[in-house]
Amino acid sequence: MVLQEVRKGEEDQRRSKSVQLGQQGAWTKWDLPSRKVTWAELWRLEPIRISFMLRSVCDTLTSPSNLCRWGLTENPSCKLCGGTATLAHILSGCKTALQQARYGWRHDKVLQTHADILETERRKKRPDLKHEKPAIQFVKAGEKAQTTASSQGGLLSGASTWEMRVDLNKRLVFPDVVHTNLRPDIVLWSDHPDRTDSTMGGRLCEAHERKMSKYQELLELCRAKN
Ligand SMILES: [Zn+2]
């Protein structure tokens, strides 16, 4: 309890210091889900990526606006539109960049990487689960049941075959199951009703909860049609 108190005191001090720092403490005002960077991740990442990640969080990257603030240049303006080139402006706020489809290009590059990985996984041979009864899991009194399927083999382990469409090159047409005006980046589906249902509600949903809430209704409609 003493240790906890001391830790809490230290943490409070750190936080009150952060709040006072207008620039580096901006994160204290963010309304975003917090991200925990683990040691395992840090070992894996290249130093330059760790540097970028930390400096982008504290807004200490060499954006024109920062260079000007530090007295290294005289012009803080964006070369594309002439506005003040802060980090936020460069990453997602420049109207000219948007018009020139630069953000779309970046989005598609990320999407392409995801699609490639998913495509490799999708093509892997999986056991046909159609006639297989799910094994009964016995749990001892007082113990908790362990999670199966999705935690063992990932999202795609729930069905033997998967179809996939990606919103790249040409506009994604949503499968004939339901009509929708929404335009998801990637649609993965299987004609294996029991399993598809449970896996779609699994990990992918948790990790992208914010984005998924947009598609929740669509997902429900698809489920209703098996
Ligand atoms: Zn701009």
Side-chain angles (χ1 to χ4, degrees):
M1 283 172 74
V2 170
L3 270 175
Q4 266 176 12
E5 273 308 302
V6 174
R7 280 206 184 110
K8 194 177 168 298
E10 291 277 330
E11 186 59 33
D12 288 348
Q13 269 182 23
R14 267 199 288 267
R15 197 151 185 108
S16 59
K17 167 101 177 154
S18 299
V19 173
Q20 288 164 21
L21 300 171
Q23 188 71 16
Q24 294 91 336
W27 60 270
T28 53
K29 298 181 200 91
W30 291 352
D31 183 22
L32 289 170
S34 57
R35 176 179 176 189
K36 186 163 183 158
V37 184
T38 61
W39 279 110
E41 271 181 282
L42 283 177
W43 289 129
R44 252 201 339 266
L45 287 169
E46 292 165 57
I48 196 159
R49 288 191 184 215
I50 300 173
S51 164
F52 183 87
M53 185 169 70
L54 296 178
R55 295 174 74 194
S56 62
V57 169
C58 302
D59 191 11
T60 53
L61 284 168
T62 52
S63 60
S65 115
N66 273 345
L67 287 174
C68 186
R69 190 199 320 268
W70 299 330
L72 297 171
T73 58
E74 278 169 12
N75 186 9
S77 56
C78 170
K79 282 184 182 161
L80 294 176
C81 73
T84 308
T86 59
L87 180 65
H89 180 89
I90 293 169
L91 290 181
S92 61
C94 182
K95 287 204 172 71
T96 311
L98 185 68
Q99 279 162 9
Q100 293 178 348
R102 288 169 186 244
Y103 295 139
W105 179 87
R106 181 184 64 190
H107 172 273
D108 288 354
K109 284 280 168 192
V110 177
L111 184 55
Q112 184 70 61
T113 308
H114 286 173
D116 289 346
I117 295 168
L118 275 172
E119 180 64 10
T120 315
E121 288 299 316
R122 188 184 75 86
R123 285 171 175 278
K124 277 187 187 164
K125 275 224 172 345
R126 293 188 177 76
D128 188 4
L129 299 166
K130 264 180 192 155
H131 309 293
E132 207 178 273
K133 281 184 187 164
I136 300 171
Q137 207 190 359
F138 293 100
V139 182
K140 281 184 186 168
E143 284 180 10
K144 276 190 180 166
Q146 296 195 335
T147 42
T148 50
S150 63
S151 60
Q152 279 172 7
L155 182 73
L156 299 182
S157 67
S160 50
T161 53
W162 289 91
E163 306 283 328
M164 182 169 90
R165 275 180 205 165
V166 183
D167 194 24
L168 282 170
N169 305 324
K170 57 177 186 174
R171 197 191 156 94
L172 181 141
V173 181
F174 200 80
D176 266 345
V177 190
V178 286
H179 287 282
T180 177
N181 292 325
L182 289 173
R183 197 177 156 193
D185 289 325
I186 299 177
V187 188
L188 263 165
W189 75 98
S190 166
D191 57 357
H192 201 308
D194 309 350
R195 305 292 181 128
T196 319
D197 186 62
S198 63
T199 48
M200 282 181 90
R203 276 191 315 179
L204 195 67
C205 186
E206 284 157 29
H208 301 270
E209 207 173 311
R210 261 153 32 103
K211 190 146 195 175
M212 286 296 281
S213 64
K214 183 175 160 193
Y215 294 111
Q216 197 54 42
E217 205 176 320
L218 182 60
L219 190 60
E220 297 296 336
L221 280 171
C222 293
R223 279 177 181 164
K225 299 209 169 181
N226 272 351

